[in-house]
Amino acid sequence: MYAQALNVAEKAHADDPELRARFQRRVDAEEKIEPNDWMPEGYRRTLVRQISQHAHSEIVGMLPEGNWITRAPSLKRKAALLAKVQDEGGHGLYLYSAAETLGVSREELVEQLLTGKAKYSSIFNYPTPSWADIGMIGWLVDGAAIMNQIPLCRCSYGPYARAMIRVCKEESFHQRQGFEIVMTLAKGSPAQKTMAQQALNRWWWPALMMFGPSDRDSQHSDQNMAWKIKRFSNDDLRQKFIDATVPQGHFLGLTFPDPELRFNEATGHWEHGPIDWSEFNRVVRGEGPCNRERLKARQKAHAEGAWVREAALAHAEKRAARKAAAKIAAE
Amino acid sequence: METPLFTYTLRLADNALVLGHRLSEWCGHAPMLEEDLALANMALDLIGQARNLYTHAGAIEGKGRSEDDLAYLRDCPDWRNILLVERPRGDFAFTILRQFLYAAFMHPYFERLAASKDETLAAIAAKSVKEMAYHVRHAGEWVIRLGDGTEESAARLREALEDLWPFTGEMFEVDAVEQALIDAGIAVDPAAIRPVWNATVDHVFGEALLARPRDGWMQTGGRRGEHSEHLGHLLSDLQFMQRTYPGATW
């Protein structure tokens, strides 16, 4: 209700140049924008899209890792993986809450995910056929996510920035845990080393694609930079990730599936071969290995849980009615 | 030859791991996000209890078996869990009702085991009491919601109760192995748990408008290694990696 009121108030002043200028001055001064503050409609829409996509990614991301909870190779790994997937669910929950401060309901957002209207990170459309994939998701996917998300801790929108601080803390723990899984495999038997190498071959390029299209082709960057929703370009973040990750992989004795990967002494950066953006576009379009499967798994859980949610609601209503009746009787 | 204390500890550990495994099967597929987190929480409690108990069992046995050796390298006849916990996860009504029936037993059980003359068991129990109190509360609230919710939820809950009730008797069984440990002040006498369990169950069933079934014939066998068809499938998931790559470190 409150959020609706906010929207109406905002629309009345949508074109007010004075409000826009004041908003931009606050952003420029690194002040946090809070839910009650005036904000341009485009800013609100961009944040709703980005935060909800992020929340959906956490929820869909539970599936590829969840695939190994019942088969984790030791009790310690089983507990750690279950706790990790639980963390992802927790991230989803408070990201949905952050999105709700912008006047959309969680039900609405979930509906968008289930109908395929909303997107989530394409990385989760890749499968986890081996245990090593669990290590790779932690090391590479969470590693890439952290690169993307650390700057978001300074995002101009307060609730998102604060949610990201907590998310980043947990993600960096997951990343170390993932690296440790890969390290154990890399130091293990020949079969374990092969498992790790095969998983790296599968995940390396999709992980690089997580930073999004090259700056030359990215649509939203300039405005989002001005609004301080985004602080670094896709290519800059990708480069940071590669520079941090390649030496770790070499330390483990693994080979990156990129024959053109080389260190440039002059720039101090690792240079990589061309990214196959046609694959990226295919998977975003829905033609990845697991797109249909992931969405169907979410739809199935939602449909099968409908009677439980209905029961909870019905019970809450009965309780409230009984309480009200008791109050009337007492009076 | 298994010593009574080893068998007893293993029974507690196997119950916890098998039920924790069943709960973990929900992760990512629960009816709502909050329940994904709650079911994972309870699974983590149980897996944590199992790890401590296996480590203790390995020490009692004295043959150098680790928690993972005990969890990953035994076949069905050597598992000592009650049949209740190995039933497939079922729907949410089945899962949550089983959790309630089990927790309503284990909470008072651990309260008493915390006074065991076996110091390690006592310490594990003392830690687990708080966890099981949460399981009783959380699962009990859901039993009430489902029982006094919609027609469908009430029907599903009744169905789950009919499925589960014949598996509750095994929780209260005492054999010679356990009687000696009870007499020695190490194990808990489940007869002492019965009135507490009855009171908890009756209270929650009352709120849930759920009729308590008659205590008729009860299923038995798990604690002696006589299991249903379901445990083998659970183990084929659980033990897949350790069986496929013998001796590897993970």
Side-chain angles (χ1 to χ4, degrees), chain B residues 10-194:
Chain B
L10 210 52
R11 283 173 176 172
L12 292 171
D14 288 349
N15 280 346
L17 181 59
V18 172
L19 188 56
H21 185 100
R22 285 295 185 220
L23 286 176
S24 80
E25 292 172 348
W26 278 96
C27 192
H29 309 279
M32 63 195 76
L33 198 42
E34 285 80 355
E35 242 4 68
D36 258 321
L37 305 187
L39 293 171
N41 240 340
M42 295 192 287
L44 281 166
D45 288 342
L46 292 169
I47 293 167
Q49 292 169 15
R51 293 185 63 189
N52 289 329
L53 289 162
Y54 283 133
T55 301
H56 186 44
I60 293 163
E61 190 189 38
K63 292 182 188 165
R65 284 207 276 182
S66 68
E67 57 173 29
D68 286 340
D69 293 333
L70 288 167
Y72 292 94
L73 301 176
R74 281 179 301 143
D75 196 1
C76 291
D78 294 328
W79 282 72
R80 297 282 174 260
N81 59 280
I82 54 176
L83 298 173
L84 175 79
V85 295
E86 72 192 47
R87 308 303 298 160
R89 79 173 203 199
D91 65 5
F92 185 73
F94 185 94
T95 283
I96 216 70
L97 181 60
R98 165 167 59 189
Q99 199 60 31
F100 169 69
L101 294 170
Y102 177 82
F105 178 85
M106 286 311 294
H107 176 245
Y109 192 94
F110 278 137
E111 276 180 337
R112 285 160 183 76
L113 191 63
S116 170
K117 288 194 177 150
D118 182 304
E119 283 177 18
T120 308
L121 282 179
I124 295 169
K127 182 175 176 287
S128 308
V129 168
K130 290 173 219 130
E131 296 167 349
M132 297 324 286
Y134 166 74
H135 297 202
V136 175
R137 196 171 66 239
H138 185 78
E141 283 170 1
W142 267 113
V143 169
I144 294 166
R145 273 185 212 114
L146 298 183
D148 187 20
T150 62
E151 261 179 52
E152 180 179 3
S153 67
R156 282 175 181 265
L157 189 66
R158 283 194 302 272
E159 179 73 13
L161 183 60
E162 278 189 44
D163 288 339
L164 285 163
W165 195 254
F167 292 95
T168 55
E170 205 180 4
M171 294 192 288
F172 298 95
E173 283 180 11
V174 175
D175 58 8
V177 166
E178 243 167 79
Q179 191 57 56
L181 293 172
I182 292 167
D183 296 341
I186 292 170
V188 173
D189 186 355
I193 308 300
R194 175 74 79 175

Side-chain angles (χ1 to χ4, degrees), chain A residues 73 77 106 192 298 309 322, chain B residues 28 31 34 148 242 249-250:
Chain A
R77 294 292 186 205
R106 183 167 133 198
Q192 286 175 302
R298 287 313 311 155
R309 297 189 299 274
R322 282 199 290 261
Chain B
E34 285 80 355
D148 187 20
Q242 293 261 351
T249 302
W250 302 99

Side-chain angles (χ1 to χ4, degrees), chain A residues 165-227:
Chain A
I165 290 171
R166 189 168 153 192
V167 170
C168 281
K169 273 185 197 156
E170 294 182 353
E171 291 295 2
S172 68
F173 177 71
H174 297 164
Q175 197 259 352
R176 282 199 298 277
Q177 202 168 269
F179 181 75
E180 204 260 321
I181 289 175
V182 179
M183 188 159 70
T184 307
L185 296 173
K187 288 182 173 170
S189 68
Q192 286 175 302
K193 278 181 206 157
T194 303
M195 197 186 285
Q197 183 61 54
Q198 285 172 342
L200 178 60
N201 296 349
R202 278 197 296 277
W203 290 95
W204 177 244
W205 290 108
L208 296 189
M209 292 174 197
M210 283 176 69
F211 296 94
S214 167
D215 297 346
R216 292 185 299 277
D217 308 312
S218 186
Q219 299 166 2
H220 309 291
S221 280
D222 291 347
Q223 181 61 77
N224 288 354
M225 291 268 194
W227 278 336

Side-chain angles (χ1 to χ4, degrees), chain A residues 283-294:
Chain A
V283 181
V284 169
R285 233 179 12 243
E287 298 168 10
C290 303
N291 297 55
R292 279 181 70 79
E293 228 171 299
R294 298 290 185 240

Side-chain angles (χ1 to χ4, degrees), chain A:
Chain A
M1 298 302 279
Y2 169 75
Q4 270 174 351
L6 195 78
N7 289 349
V8 172
E10 190 256 332
K11 269 186 197 124
H13 305 289
D15 300 322
D16 188 330
E18 178 45 36
L19 283 174
R20 278 184 161 270
R22 198 191 307 158
F23 174 83
Q24 191 60 48
R25 278 197 300 276
R26 292 188 59 198
V27 171
D28 292 343
E30 300 287 338
E31 276 180 49
K32 289 281 177 256
I33 306 301
E34 297 298 336
N36 309 20
D37 299 342
W38 185 89
M39 62 186 79
E41 177 59 17
Y43 177 84
R44 193 188 73 85
R45 258 201 324 265
T46 300
L47 280 168
V48 168
R49 193 186 62 237
Q50 183 170 332
I51 299 172
S52 62
Q53 273 183 18
H54 189 168
H56 299 330
S57 301
E58 300 281 0
I59 302 308
V60 177
M62 295 170 80
L63 298 170
E65 292 183 276
N67 181 39
W68 278 92
I69 289 171
T70 58
R71 295 178 297 160
S74 72
L75 292 180
K76 187 180 136 209
R77 294 292 186 205
K78 188 183 182 70
L81 179 59
L82 182 53
K84 178 186 192 255
V85 179
Q86 186 194 34
D87 281 349
E88 315 291 359
H91 297 170
L93 203 55
Y94 43 84
L95 284 164
Y96 282 129
S97 303
E100 283 187 316
T101 65
L102 291 159
V104 280
S105 72
R106 183 167 133 198
E107 289 72 22
E108 232 175 303
L109 297 173
V110 169
E111 187 65 22
Q112 289 172 4
L113 171 68
L114 297 178
T115 54
K117 205 176 138 205
K119 294 218 176 334
Y120 56 86
S121 178
S122 266
I123 195 77
F124 300 118
N125 291 317
Y126 290 88
T128 54
S130 93
W131 169 250
D133 295 319
I134 299 307
M136 287 300 156
I137 289 182
W139 176 37
L140 300 179
V141 175
D142 293 337
I146 292 165
M147 287 292 171
N148 264 329
Q149 291 168 7
I150 293 233
L152 290 174
C153 299
R154 293 189 294 132
C155 169
S156 57
Y157 189 57
Y160 192 30
R162 289 188 289 274
M164 290 320 298
I165 290 171
R166 189 168 153 192
V167 170
C168 281
K169 273 185 197 156
E170 294 182 353
E171 291 295 2
S172 68
F173 177 71
H174 297 164
Q175 197 259 352
R176 282 199 298 277
Q177 202 168 269
F179 181 75
E180 204 260 321
I181 289 175
V182 179
M183 188 159 70
T184 307
L185 296 173
K187 288 182 173 170
S189 68
Q192 286 175 302
K193 278 181 206 157
T194 303
M195 197 186 285
Q197 183 61 54
Q198 285 172 342
L200 178 60
N201 296 349
R202 278 197 296 277
W203 290 95
W204 177 244
W205 290 108
L208 296 189
M209 292 174 197
M210 283 176 69
F211 296 94
S214 167
D215 297 346
R216 292 185 299 277
D217 308 312
S218 186
Q219 299 166 2
H220 309 291
S221 280
D222 291 347
Q223 181 61 77
N224 288 354
M225 291 268 194
W227 278 336
K228 298 201 172 168
I229 294 174
K230 197 175 171 74
R231 292 192 180 250
F232 298 97
S233 77
N234 293 352
D235 287 336
D236 286 350
L237 289 168
R238 187 165 18 243
Q239 189 61 52
K240 270 183 199 230
F241 172 72
I242 293 171
D243 289 341
T245 309
V246 169
Q248 294 172 354
H250 289 159
F251 169 76
L252 296 176
L254 296 172
T255 307
F256 289 89
D258 178 0
E260 293 177 44
L261 189 68
R262 70 176 61 82
F263 190 68
N264 183 328
E265 294 283 351
T267 61
H269 292 299
W270 284 91
E271 292 174 353
H272 59 88
I275 293 174
D276 179 5
W277 291 112
S278 68
E279 173 180 330
F280 175 77
N281 291 326
R282 269 199 314 275
V283 181
V284 169
R285 233 179 12 243
E287 298 168 10
C290 303
N291 297 55
R292 279 181 70 79
E293 228 171 299
R294 298 290 185 240
L295 200 55
K296 283 203 165 174
R298 287 313 311 155
Q299 289 165 345
K300 184 168 181 278
H302 193 76
E304 287 178 357
W307 69 269
V308 179
R309 297 189 299 274
E310 284 159 17
L313 203 62
H315 180 72
E317 281 165 5
K318 284 183 191 176
R319 272 187 106 95
R322 282 199 290 261
K323 208 171 160 189
K327 200 177 163 200
I328 290 164
E331 288 162 3

